[in-house]
């Protein structure tokens, strides 16, 4: 199963609390119905990478499900929590619930293996939530359990037409038979991932609707996400890849991510 980070610092509606003291009402529809939105942001020495992009996406997700929240207040609360956490290597989780709660947690970064085996899992996505980073995550979690029963570490979704989409918490890239890097296009219904955006902006990459057979014939593939960063894929549906530890594309993607972080750290800090 997917690792879960241990909470270190928590803020509920601006109140700083020890993790064991934090709570929300059992009547909150975020708890009862999974009605809310969230973001997860990696902290590098206490710096939230691409904070503005994450908060912009949070606002888009909230607007898509008619969920109001105090964006200015949330920024102030993030600033206070990060100041309390200090220069830490961790993850910032932001959750806004239908009950009106603003939940912020600084968590330990999950421990991911050096490489991942993936299994292809059919998915019928809900168009009404397309592009929304919702806290309704039961299907995502169960997809990983399905993959685990097939001897894999993670699932990769296929739509009804057999087109490759994404993993439950990450984007996927691979090198096709022609030697070119490719990834599913946003138009396939996948999430507009912040890490994916960094890779696509930095490297020559074809975005499109690709069948499962294209991924299965890849020489190299990798997952990309906030906490994984760049994680090579060693096998797809039990088929071992030629470069299971990653190749030049994974190395280039990791370098691009490092360069983006260095460039951001060299610029004025975004306001929180």
């Amino acid at each position: 199963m997917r690792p879960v980070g241990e909470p270190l610092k928590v803020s509920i509606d601006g109140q700083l609390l020890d993790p064991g003291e934090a709570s929300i009402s059992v009547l909150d529809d975020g708890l009862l119905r999974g009605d809310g939105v969230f973001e997860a942001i990696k902290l590098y020495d206490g710096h939230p990478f691409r904070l503005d992009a994450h908060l912009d996406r949070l606002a888009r997700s909230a607007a898509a499900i008619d969920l109001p929240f105090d964006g200015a207040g949330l920024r102030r609360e993030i600033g206070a929590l990060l100041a309390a956490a200090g220069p830490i290597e961790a993850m910032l989780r932001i959750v806004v619930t239908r009950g009106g709660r603003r939940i912020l947690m600084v968590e330990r970064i999950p421990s991911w293996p050096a490489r991942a085996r993936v299994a292809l899992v059919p998915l019928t996505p809900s168009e009404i939530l397309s592009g929304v980073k919702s806290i309704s995550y039961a299907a995502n979690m169960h997809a990983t359990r399905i993959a685990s029963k097939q001897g894999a570490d993670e699932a990769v979704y296929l739509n009804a037409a057999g087109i490759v989409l994404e993993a439950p918490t990450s984007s996927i890239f691979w090198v096709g038979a022609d030697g070119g890097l490719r990834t599913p296009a946003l138009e396939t219904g996948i999430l507009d991932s912040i890490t994916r955006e960094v890779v696509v902006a930095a490297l020559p990459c074809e975005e499109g609707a690709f069948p499962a057979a294209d991924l299965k014939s890849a020489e190299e593939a990798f997952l990309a996400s906030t906490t994984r960063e760049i994680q090579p894929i060693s096998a797809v549906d039990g088929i071992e890849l030629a470069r299971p530890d990653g190749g030049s594309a994974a190395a280039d993607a990791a370098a691009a991510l490092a360069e983006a972080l260095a460039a951001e750290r060299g610029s004025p800090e975004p306001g929180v």
Side-chain angles (χ1 to χ4, degrees):
M1 281 301 297
R2 180 179 302 108
V4 175
E6 174 191 352
L8 301 172
K9 297 282 185 181
V10 179
S11 169
I12 306 290
D13 298 336
Q15 183 180 6
L16 295 174
L17 299 164
D18 290 331
E21 299 174 337
S23 64
I24 63 170
S25 169
V26 295
L27 301 179
D28 192 315
D29 271 356
L31 170 66
L32 296 179
R33 303 179 186 276
D35 194 355
V37 295
F38 82 102
E39 284 290 329
I41 307 171
K42 194 161 186 180
L43 302 177
Y44 295 86
D45 196 28
H47 172 82
F49 180 58
R50 296 288 169 97
L51 175 64
D52 288 341
H54 279 282
L55 292 181
D56 286 347
R57 186 172 64 183
L58 182 74
R60 292 196 302 272
S61 293
I65 61 171
D66 296 325
L67 177 66
F69 73 97
D70 179 2
L74 183 64
R75 278 185 173 271
R76 289 192 297 271
E77 291 159 11
I78 292 171
L81 180 63
L82 295 185
I88 190 173
E89 301 294 314
M91 183 180 77
L92 170 65
R93 184 183 302 276
I94 303 169
V95 181
V96 180
T97 75
R98 181 63 64 181
R101 302 281 72 81
R102 297 184 305 278
I103 304 168
L104 306 175
M105 293 189 291
V106 171
E107 306 173 3
R108 294 192 190 281
I109 300 171
S111 176
W112 297 104
R115 64 194 68 82
R117 301 175 68 86
V118 303
L120 303 181
V121 175
L123 170 76
T124 302
S126 172
E127 291 186 9
I128 199 170
L129 289 179
S130 180
V132 175
K133 201 165 175 66
S134 164
I135 62 175
S136 301
Y137 244 56
N140 302 62
M141 301 301 291
H142 189 52
T144 300
R145 286 190 286 268
I146 292 172
S148 180
K149 290 177 182 178
Q150 298 178 27
D153 303 297
E154 187 56 285
V156 170
Y157 295 135
L158 301 177
N159 69 12
I163 300 299
V164 180
L165 299 176
E166 59 191 341
T169 62
S170 54
S171 300
I172 185 167
F173 292 79
W174 67 95
V175 175
D178 59 359
L181 182 65
R182 56 195 57 169
T183 193
L186 296 179
E187 289 75 16
T188 61
I190 64 172
L191 184 72
D192 189 2
S193 159
I194 307 299
T195 308
R196 175 189 181 279
E197 181 182 3
V198 171
V199 175
V200 169
L203 305 181
C205 182
E206 181 184 0
E207 301 175 71
F210 304 104
D214 196 77
L215 173 58
K216 289 183 177 182
S217 66
E219 292 280 309
E220 170 190 356
F222 58 87
L223 298 172
S225 76
T226 291
T227 58
R228 294 174 194 264
E229 297 185 340
I230 305 300
Q231 183 186 34
I233 292 172
S234 60
V236 178
D237 268 358
I239 301 171
E240 302 291 333
L241 272 60
R243 295 193 285 273
D245 294 316
S248 58
D252 289 346
L257 193 58
E259 288 173 10
L261 174 63
E264 183 172 297
R265 295 297 303 275
S267 301
E269 296 285 319
V272 296

